[in-house]
């Protein structure tokens, strides 16, 4: 026969601020690190290509992301540094650094997408290949790497938004070394043993009274 108990069954508690902080921290770190890596990788790859007419023939040209624009790589480094700096500051400083992280991501997206229509790098290569400063590239094409850089910027932006929203719940670099504010107990030296002359001499060298008077 069953029985009835007055003890309530334990209920699962809703995720508290601490759990939200841990989850957002993990996602932000992963997004920021992966985003910066993608941007730096993408800017080293070929973004655009084309041809230039040299001696009546077509001369192939190509330009990497760093040739087109150095902004995405620079902003990725700034974003990565901001992600690390978030843990070194508090309160208003953390909010400002998180905002810089978000702006770095947004700027990376914009500069990567603007690089799709930028032919200046290929035009310079065409001028060098032909010896004509007025030469321009023909039939310009693009690869998918600018979109990879934009995706990396999106991940940096996500990390910045998470830092703005949940950064107040994240720990600081020095948090594990801090205490609760209570003063540390002073170390009390053991009394000098009068039966050990070496301890008496050490006490005298320290300027202490070995007799304890």
């Amino acid at each position: 026969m069953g029985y009835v108990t007055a003890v309530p069954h334990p209920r699962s508690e809703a995720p508290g601020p601490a759990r939200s902080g841990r989850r957002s921290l993990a996602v932000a770190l992963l997004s920021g690190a992966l985003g910066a890596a993608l941007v730096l990788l993408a800017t080293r790859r070929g973004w655009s290509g084309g041809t230039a007419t040299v001696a009546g023939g077509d001369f192939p040209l190509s330009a990497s992301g760093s040739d087109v624009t150095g902004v995405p790589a620079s902003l990725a480094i700034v974003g990565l540094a901001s992600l690390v700096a978030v843990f070194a500051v508090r309160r208003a400083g953390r909010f400002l650094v998180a905002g810089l992280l978000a702006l770095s991501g947004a700027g990376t997206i914009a500069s990567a997408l603007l690089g799709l229509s930028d032919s200046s790098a290929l035009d310079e290569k065409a001028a060098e290949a032909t010896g004509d400063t007025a030469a321009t590239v023909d039939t310009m094409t693009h690869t998918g790497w600018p979109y990879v850089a934009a995706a990396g910027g999106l991940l940096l932006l996500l990390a910045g938004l998470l830092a703005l929203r949940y950064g107040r719940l994240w720990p600081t670099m020095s948090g594990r070394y801090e205490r609760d504010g209570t003063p540390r107990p002073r170390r009390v030296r053991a009394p000098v043993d009068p039966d050990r002359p070496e301890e008496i001499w050490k006490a005298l060298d320290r300027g202490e009274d070995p007799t304890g008077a």
Side-chain angles (χ1 to χ4, degrees), residues 63-152:
S64 65
S66 57
D67 294 330
V68 175
T69 173
V71 175
S74 299
L75 289 179
I77 295 175
V78 171
L80 191 60
S82 300
L83 182 62
V84 176
V86 165
F87 303 98
V89 293
R90 300 180 181 180
R91 299 182 179 88
R94 175 166 291 188
F95 183 81
L96 292 176
V97 173
L100 179 60
L101 174 58
L103 289 176
S104 299
T108 300
I109 297 172
S111 58
L113 295 180
L114 288 175
L116 289 170
S117 59
D118 189 352
S119 62
S120 59
L122 287 176
D123 289 339
E124 291 180 3
K125 291 179 179 292
E128 293 176 0
T130 61
D132 183 5
T133 56
T136 58
V137 67
D138 301 325
T139 63
M140 187 176 66
T141 59
H142 295 91
T143 67
W145 287 109
Y147 297 103
V148 175

Side-chain angles (χ1 to χ4, degrees), residues 39-56:
V39 175
L40 294 176
L41 173 64
T43 54
R44 297 178 181 178
R45 304 296 179 176
W47 278 27
S48 57
T51 57
T53 303
V54 179

